[in-house]
Amino acid sequence: VGQSSNDSTTITGQIGEFQSSSVATGSAVALTSTVAANITSFSLTAGDWDVYATAYLKGGATTTLTVATASLSTTSATHDTTNGRIARESDTARTRFAAGDISLTVGAARFSLSATTTVYFVASATFLVDTCSAYGIIQARRRRHYPG
């Protein structure tokens, strides 16, 4: 049975169940060049879920970025390269952050889970000179309940 109103149900197992986790810009996760790091994560119970996320990367005034990557993964601090679970932007080495933060949208990706599973929102960047950090939001909506 699904939710018949326009609110977000939080009843575990109900179709339409919604989960969300976010990290604000002021709490952005510091990145080390080329090293994947978790922005945030949440646990999803058994069933079919659509998971989607938006990552924002911000850098110092002189940060030179060559690659920005975000993904949805069931392995901590490890990118999942499955189609729909990863977004990547490559650039020739240049200062990118003068115009603002860079955004990457991932998903909606289907996660068909037979047991409670942690889904990690992972980011990495290849950069030089200055600093880079990541923040954003991951969201999921249940499409189908697992009868097990």
Side-chain angles (χ1 to χ4, degrees):
V1 175
Q3 184 72 3
S4 61
S5 67
N6 65 345
D7 61 349
S8 295
T9 183
T10 56
I11 300 170
T12 301
Q14 189 172 20
I15 295 170
E17 177 186 352
F18 182 77
Q19 297 274 346
S20 179
S21 180
S22 63
V23 173
T25 185
S27 299
V29 176
L31 299 176
T32 300
S33 186
T34 73
V35 178
N38 297 329
I39 298 174
T40 188
S41 65
F42 51 37
S43 291
L44 299 178
T45 56
D48 279 351
W49 293 85
D50 286 337
V51 183
Y52 40 98
T54 302
Y56 299 92
L57 279 76
K58 65 181 187 174
T62 59
T63 301
T64 302
L65 179 76
T66 53
V67 179
T69 306
S71 72
L72 303 168
S73 179
T74 56
T75 305
S76 179
T78 303
H79 285 299
D80 182 337
T81 59
T82 304
N83 283 340
R85 292 188 180 184
I86 191 165
R88 180 175 288 129
E89 181 179 315
S90 298
D91 203 295
T92 57
R94 64 180 181 159
T95 303
R96 286 291 314 270
F97 297 104
D101 298 348
I102 295 168
S103 66
L104 296 168
T105 301
V106 185
R110 179 182 180 208
F111 282 77
S112 184
L113 307 173
S114 60
T116 298
T117 303
T118 300
V119 176
Y120 299 91
F121 183 23
V122 182
S124 66
T126 302
F127 61 96
L128 297 170
V129 180
D130 209 342
T131 61
C132 187
S133 57
Y135 64 100
I137 186 168
I138 180 175
Q139 300 173 308
R141 181 151 326 263
R142 181 186 294 278
R143 293 190 60 158
R144 184 170 59 101
H145 174 69
Y146 182 74

Short mmCIF file of all heavy atoms in Angstrom, two decimals, residues 57-105:
data_model
loop_
_atom_site.label_atom_id
_atom_site.label_comp_id
_atom_site.label_asym_id
_atom_site.label_seq_id
_atom_site.Cartn_x
_atom_site.Cartn_y
_atom_site.Cartn_z
N LEU A 57 31.28 20.73 -4.92
CA LEU A 57 32.68 20.82 -4.58
C LEU A 57 33.07 22.28 -4.54
O LEU A 57 32.69 23.04 -5.44
CB LEU A 57 33.54 20.06 -5.59
CG LEU A 57 33.60 18.55 -5.37
CD1 LEU A 57 32.33 17.90 -5.82
CD2 LEU A 57 34.79 17.95 -6.08
N LYS A 58 33.78 22.64 -3.49
CA LYS A 58 34.24 24.02 -3.38
C LYS A 58 35.74 24.01 -3.12
O LYS A 58 36.28 23.07 -2.52
CB LYS A 58 33.49 24.78 -2.29
CG LYS A 58 33.69 24.28 -0.88
CD LYS A 58 32.87 25.12 0.08
CE LYS A 58 33.18 24.77 1.53
NZ LYS A 58 32.49 25.67 2.45
N GLY A 59 36.39 25.03 -3.63
CA GLY A 59 37.84 25.10 -3.49
C GLY A 59 38.31 26.48 -3.14
O GLY A 59 37.53 27.44 -3.14
N GLY A 60 39.60 26.56 -2.86
CA GLY A 60 40.21 27.85 -2.56
C GLY A 60 40.37 28.67 -3.83
O GLY A 60 40.18 28.18 -4.95
N ALA A 61 40.73 29.92 -3.64
CA ALA A 61 40.84 30.86 -4.76
C ALA A 61 41.83 30.41 -5.82
O ALA A 61 41.66 30.72 -7.00
CB ALA A 61 41.22 32.24 -4.24
N THR A 62 42.84 29.66 -5.43
CA THR A 62 43.85 29.24 -6.41
C THR A 62 43.82 27.75 -6.70
O THR A 62 44.71 27.22 -7.35
CB THR A 62 45.27 29.63 -5.92
OG1 THR A 62 45.50 28.99 -4.66
CG2 THR A 62 45.40 31.14 -5.79
N THR A 63 42.78 27.05 -6.23
CA THR A 63 42.67 25.61 -6.48
C THR A 63 42.53 25.35 -7.97
O THR A 63 41.70 25.96 -8.64
CB THR A 63 41.47 25.00 -5.73
OG1 THR A 63 41.63 25.23 -4.34
CG2 THR A 63 41.35 23.51 -5.99
N THR A 64 43.34 24.44 -8.47
CA THR A 64 43.27 24.02 -9.87
C THR A 64 42.70 22.61 -9.90
O THR A 64 43.30 21.68 -9.36
CB THR A 64 44.67 24.05 -10.52
OG1 THR A 64 45.19 25.36 -10.39
CG2 THR A 64 44.59 23.69 -11.99
N LEU A 65 41.54 22.45 -10.51
CA LEU A 65 40.82 21.18 -10.53
C LEU A 65 40.95 20.53 -11.90
O LEU A 65 40.82 21.20 -12.93
CB LEU A 65 39.34 21.44 -10.23
CG LEU A 65 38.42 20.24 -10.23
CD1 LEU A 65 38.61 19.44 -8.96
CD2 LEU A 65 36.98 20.69 -10.35
N THR A 66 41.17 19.20 -11.91
CA THR A 66 41.19 18.49 -13.18
C THR A 66 40.05 17.47 -13.29
O THR A 66 39.54 17.25 -14.37
CB THR A 66 42.54 17.78 -13.43
OG1 THR A 66 42.86 16.96 -12.32
CG2 THR A 66 43.64 18.80 -13.65
N VAL A 67 39.65 16.85 -12.17
CA VAL A 67 38.55 15.88 -12.20
C VAL A 67 37.74 16.02 -10.91
O VAL A 67 38.31 16.10 -9.82
CB VAL A 67 39.07 14.43 -12.31
CG1 VAL A 67 37.91 13.44 -12.32
CG2 VAL A 67 39.94 14.23 -13.53
N ALA A 68 36.41 16.02 -11.06
CA ALA A 68 35.49 15.99 -9.92
C ALA A 68 34.58 14.79 -10.11
O ALA A 68 34.06 14.56 -11.20
CB ALA A 68 34.67 17.27 -9.87
N THR A 69 34.40 14.00 -9.04
CA THR A 69 33.60 12.78 -9.13
C THR A 69 32.70 12.66 -7.90
O THR A 69 33.13 12.95 -6.78
CB THR A 69 34.51 11.53 -9.22
OG1 THR A 69 35.44 11.69 -10.28
CG2 THR A 69 33.71 10.27 -9.44
N ALA A 70 31.47 12.19 -8.12
CA ALA A 70 30.55 11.87 -7.04
C ALA A 70 29.84 10.57 -7.39
O ALA A 70 29.59 10.29 -8.56
CB ALA A 70 29.53 12.98 -6.84
N SER A 71 29.54 9.76 -6.38
CA SER A 71 28.84 8.50 -6.66
C SER A 71 28.04 8.04 -5.46
O SER A 71 28.19 8.54 -4.35
CB SER A 71 29.83 7.40 -7.07
OG SER A 71 30.59 6.95 -5.98
N LEU A 72 27.16 7.08 -5.72
CA LEU A 72 26.36 6.39 -4.71
C LEU A 72 26.93 4.98 -4.61
O LEU A 72 27.07 4.31 -5.63
CB LEU A 72 24.90 6.33 -5.14
CG LEU A 72 24.25 7.67 -5.44
CD1 LEU A 72 22.90 7.48 -6.13
CD2 LEU A 72 24.09 8.47 -4.15
N SER A 73 27.29 4.55 -3.42
CA SER A 73 28.00 3.29 -3.28
C SER A 73 27.57 2.55 -2.03
O SER A 73 27.16 3.16 -1.04
CB SER A 73 29.51 3.57 -3.21
OG SER A 73 30.26 2.38 -3.06
N THR A 74 27.67 1.24 -2.05
CA THR A 74 27.42 0.44 -0.85
C THR A 74 28.74 0.10 -0.14
O THR A 74 28.74 -0.64 0.83
CB THR A 74 26.65 -0.84 -1.19
OG1 THR A 74 27.35 -1.58 -2.18
CG2 THR A 74 25.23 -0.51 -1.68
N THR A 75 29.85 0.66 -0.62
CA THR A 75 31.16 0.47 0.01
C THR A 75 31.68 1.83 0.45
O THR A 75 31.76 2.76 -0.36
CB THR A 75 32.15 -0.19 -0.98
OG1 THR A 75 31.59 -1.41 -1.45
CG2 THR A 75 33.48 -0.46 -0.30
N SER A 76 32.03 1.95 1.70
CA SER A 76 32.49 3.21 2.26
C SER A 76 33.71 3.77 1.53
O SER A 76 34.66 3.03 1.23
CB SER A 76 32.84 3.02 3.74
OG SER A 76 33.31 4.22 4.32
N ALA A 77 33.66 5.08 1.21
CA ALA A 77 34.77 5.82 0.60
C ALA A 77 35.31 5.15 -0.67
O ALA A 77 36.49 5.22 -0.97
CB ALA A 77 35.89 6.02 1.62
N THR A 78 34.40 4.53 -1.43
CA THR A 78 34.76 3.86 -2.68
C THR A 78 33.72 4.21 -3.74
O THR A 78 32.52 4.01 -3.51
CB THR A 78 34.80 2.33 -2.49
OG1 THR A 78 35.73 2.03 -1.43
CG2 THR A 78 35.23 1.63 -3.76
N HIS A 79 34.17 4.69 -4.89
CA HIS A 79 33.22 5.02 -5.96
C HIS A 79 32.64 3.75 -6.57
O HIS A 79 33.34 2.76 -6.76
CB HIS A 79 33.90 5.83 -7.06
CG HIS A 79 34.14 7.25 -6.68
ND1 HIS A 79 33.13 8.13 -6.36
CD2 HIS A 79 35.30 7.97 -6.57
CE1 HIS A 79 33.64 9.31 -6.07
NE2 HIS A 79 34.95 9.24 -6.17
N ASP A 80 31.35 3.79 -6.88
CA ASP A 80 30.67 2.74 -7.63
C ASP A 80 30.55 3.26 -9.05
O ASP A 80 29.93 4.29 -9.30
CB ASP A 80 29.29 2.49 -7.04
CG ASP A 80 28.53 1.36 -7.73
OD1 ASP A 80 28.84 1.05 -8.91
OD2 ASP A 80 27.61 0.81 -7.11
N THR A 81 31.15 2.57 -10.00
CA THR A 81 31.19 3.04 -11.39
C THR A 81 30.02 2.52 -12.23
O THR A 81 30.01 2.70 -13.44
CB THR A 81 32.52 2.66 -12.06
OG1 THR A 81 32.67 1.23 -12.02
CG2 THR A 81 33.70 3.32 -11.34
N THR A 82 29.02 1.90 -11.59
CA THR A 82 27.84 1.43 -12.30
C THR A 82 27.13 2.63 -12.95
O THR A 82 26.99 3.68 -12.33
CB THR A 82 26.87 0.74 -11.32
OG1 THR A 82 27.57 -0.32 -10.66
CG2 THR A 82 25.65 0.20 -12.04
N ASN A 83 26.68 2.44 -14.21
CA ASN A 83 25.93 3.51 -14.88
C ASN A 83 24.79 3.99 -13.99
O ASN A 83 24.06 3.19 -13.41
CB ASN A 83 25.35 3.03 -16.21
CG ASN A 83 26.40 2.95 -17.30
OD1 ASN A 83 27.45 3.59 -17.21
ND2 ASN A 83 26.13 2.17 -18.32
N GLY A 84 24.65 5.32 -13.88
CA GLY A 84 23.60 5.92 -13.07
C GLY A 84 24.00 6.15 -11.63
O GLY A 84 23.33 6.88 -10.92
N ARG A 85 25.09 5.51 -11.19
CA ARG A 85 25.53 5.67 -9.81
C ARG A 85 26.76 6.58 -9.69
O ARG A 85 27.26 6.78 -8.59
CB ARG A 85 25.84 4.32 -9.17
CG ARG A 85 24.60 3.47 -8.98
CD ARG A 85 24.89 2.22 -8.19
NE ARG A 85 23.69 1.42 -8.03
CZ ARG A 85 23.63 0.32 -7.33
NH1 ARG A 85 24.71 -0.13 -6.69
NH2 ARG A 85 22.50 -0.36 -7.24
N ILE A 86 27.23 7.13 -10.81
CA ILE A 86 28.42 7.96 -10.77
C ILE A 86 28.28 9.14 -11.72
O ILE A 86 27.64 9.03 -12.77
CB ILE A 86 29.69 7.13 -11.12
CG1 ILE A 86 30.96 7.93 -10.81
CG2 ILE A 86 29.64 6.62 -12.55
CD1 ILE A 86 32.22 7.08 -10.78
N ALA A 87 28.85 10.26 -11.32
CA ALA A 87 28.92 11.45 -12.18
C ALA A 87 30.35 11.96 -12.10
O ALA A 87 30.96 11.98 -11.03
CB ALA A 87 27.95 12.53 -11.71
N ARG A 88 30.89 12.35 -13.25
CA ARG A 88 32.27 12.82 -13.29
C ARG A 88 32.37 14.00 -14.23
O ARG A 88 31.77 14.01 -15.30
CB ARG A 88 33.18 11.69 -13.75
CG ARG A 88 34.65 12.06 -13.83
CD ARG A 88 35.53 10.88 -14.16
NE ARG A 88 35.59 9.99 -13.00
CZ ARG A 88 35.35 8.69 -13.04
NH1 ARG A 88 35.01 8.11 -14.17
NH2 ARG A 88 35.42 7.96 -11.95
N GLU A 89 33.15 14.97 -13.83
CA GLU A 89 33.44 16.10 -14.69
C GLU A 89 34.95 16.20 -14.81
O GLU A 89 35.66 16.29 -13.80
CB GLU A 89 32.88 17.40 -14.12
CG GLU A 89 33.17 18.59 -15.01
CD GLU A 89 32.60 19.88 -14.47
OE1 GLU A 89 31.45 19.87 -14.02
OE2 GLU A 89 33.32 20.89 -14.51
N SER A 90 35.44 16.15 -16.03
CA SER A 90 36.87 16.30 -16.28
C SER A 90 37.10 17.65 -16.93
O SER A 90 36.28 18.15 -17.68
CB SER A 90 37.39 15.19 -17.21
OG SER A 90 37.21 13.94 -16.61
N ASP A 91 38.25 18.22 -16.65
CA ASP A 91 38.55 19.56 -17.12
C ASP A 91 40.05 19.68 -17.31
O ASP A 91 40.80 19.03 -16.62
CB ASP A 91 38.07 20.57 -16.07
CG ASP A 91 37.83 21.94 -16.66
OD1 ASP A 91 38.80 22.54 -17.11
OD2 ASP A 91 36.67 22.38 -16.66
N THR A 92 40.44 20.48 -18.24
CA THR A 92 41.87 20.77 -18.31
C THR A 92 42.21 21.56 -17.06
O THR A 92 41.37 22.25 -16.50
CB THR A 92 42.21 21.59 -19.57
OG1 THR A 92 41.42 22.78 -19.54
CG2 THR A 92 41.94 20.81 -20.83
N ALA A 93 43.42 21.42 -16.58
CA ALA A 93 43.82 22.07 -15.33
C ALA A 93 43.65 23.57 -15.42
O ALA A 93 44.32 24.25 -16.18
CB ALA A 93 45.26 21.70 -15.01
N ARG A 94 42.70 24.07 -14.67
CA ARG A 94 42.46 25.51 -14.59
C ARG A 94 41.74 25.82 -13.30
O ARG A 94 41.13 24.95 -12.69
CB ARG A 94 41.68 26.02 -15.79
CG ARG A 94 40.28 25.47 -15.88
CD ARG A 94 39.56 26.01 -17.10
NE ARG A 94 38.22 25.46 -17.12
CZ ARG A 94 37.23 25.99 -17.77
NH1 ARG A 94 37.41 27.09 -18.45
NH2 ARG A 94 36.05 25.44 -17.76
N THR A 95 41.81 27.04 -12.89
CA THR A 95 41.11 27.45 -11.68
C THR A 95 39.63 27.49 -11.99
O THR A 95 39.19 28.19 -12.89
CB THR A 95 41.61 28.82 -11.20
OG1 THR A 95 43.01 28.72 -11.01
CG2 THR A 95 40.96 29.21 -9.90
N ARG A 96 38.85 26.70 -11.26
CA ARG A 96 37.43 26.55 -11.57
C ARG A 96 36.51 27.23 -10.57
O ARG A 96 35.34 27.40 -10.82
CB ARG A 96 37.05 25.07 -11.59
CG ARG A 96 37.53 24.32 -12.78
CD ARG A 96 36.80 24.76 -14.04
NE ARG A 96 35.37 24.86 -13.87
CZ ARG A 96 34.50 23.90 -14.07
NH1 ARG A 96 34.89 22.74 -14.48
NH2 ARG A 96 33.21 24.10 -13.87
N PHE A 97 36.98 27.52 -9.39
CA PHE A 97 36.09 27.92 -8.33
C PHE A 97 35.83 29.42 -8.25
O PHE A 97 35.04 29.86 -7.43
CB PHE A 97 36.61 27.38 -7.00
CG PHE A 97 36.65 25.89 -6.96
CD1 PHE A 97 37.85 25.21 -7.10
CD2 PHE A 97 35.49 25.15 -6.83
CE1 PHE A 97 37.88 23.82 -7.08
CE2 PHE A 97 35.51 23.77 -6.81
CZ PHE A 97 36.72 23.10 -6.93
N ALA A 98 36.46 30.20 -9.11
CA ALA A 98 36.24 31.65 -9.09
C ALA A 98 34.78 31.99 -9.35
O ALA A 98 34.25 32.96 -8.83
CB ALA A 98 37.14 32.33 -10.11
N ALA A 99 34.09 31.16 -10.16
CA ALA A 99 32.69 31.40 -10.50
C ALA A 99 31.72 30.73 -9.53
O ALA A 99 30.51 30.81 -9.71
CB ALA A 99 32.42 30.93 -11.92
N GLY A 100 32.23 30.04 -8.52
CA GLY A 100 31.36 29.37 -7.55
C GLY A 100 31.61 27.89 -7.47
O GLY A 100 32.49 27.35 -8.15
N ASP A 101 30.84 27.22 -6.64
CA ASP A 101 31.01 25.79 -6.41
C ASP A 101 30.58 25.00 -7.64
O ASP A 101 29.74 25.43 -8.43
CB ASP A 101 30.19 25.35 -5.20
CG ASP A 101 30.64 26.04 -3.93
OD1 ASP A 101 31.72 26.67 -3.93
OD2 ASP A 101 29.92 25.94 -2.93
N ILE A 102 31.16 23.81 -7.79
CA ILE A 102 30.84 22.91 -8.90
C ILE A 102 29.81 21.90 -8.40
O ILE A 102 29.95 21.36 -7.30
CB ILE A 102 32.11 22.19 -9.38
CG1 ILE A 102 33.09 23.20 -9.96
CG2 ILE A 102 31.77 21.10 -10.38
CD1 ILE A 102 34.46 22.64 -10.18
N SER A 103 28.77 21.65 -9.18
CA SER A 103 27.76 20.67 -8.77
C SER A 103 27.78 19.45 -9.69
O SER A 103 28.02 19.57 -10.89
CB SER A 103 26.37 21.29 -8.75
OG SER A 103 25.96 21.64 -10.04
N LEU A 104 27.52 18.29 -9.10
CA LEU A 104 27.41 17.03 -9.83
C LEU A 104 26.14 16.33 -9.35
O LEU A 104 25.93 16.17 -8.14
CB LEU A 104 28.61 16.12 -9.54
CG LEU A 104 29.98 16.60 -10.00
CD1 LEU A 104 31.08 15.74 -9.39
CD2 LEU A 104 30.06 16.57 -11.51
N THR A 105 25.29 15.92 -10.28
CA THR A 105 24.05 15.22 -9.94
C THR A 105 24.21 13.74 -10.27
O THR A 105 24.66 13.39 -11.35
CB THR A 105 22.87 15.81 -10.72
OG1 THR A 105 22.77 17.20 -10.39
CG2 THR A 105 21.58 15.11 -10.37
#
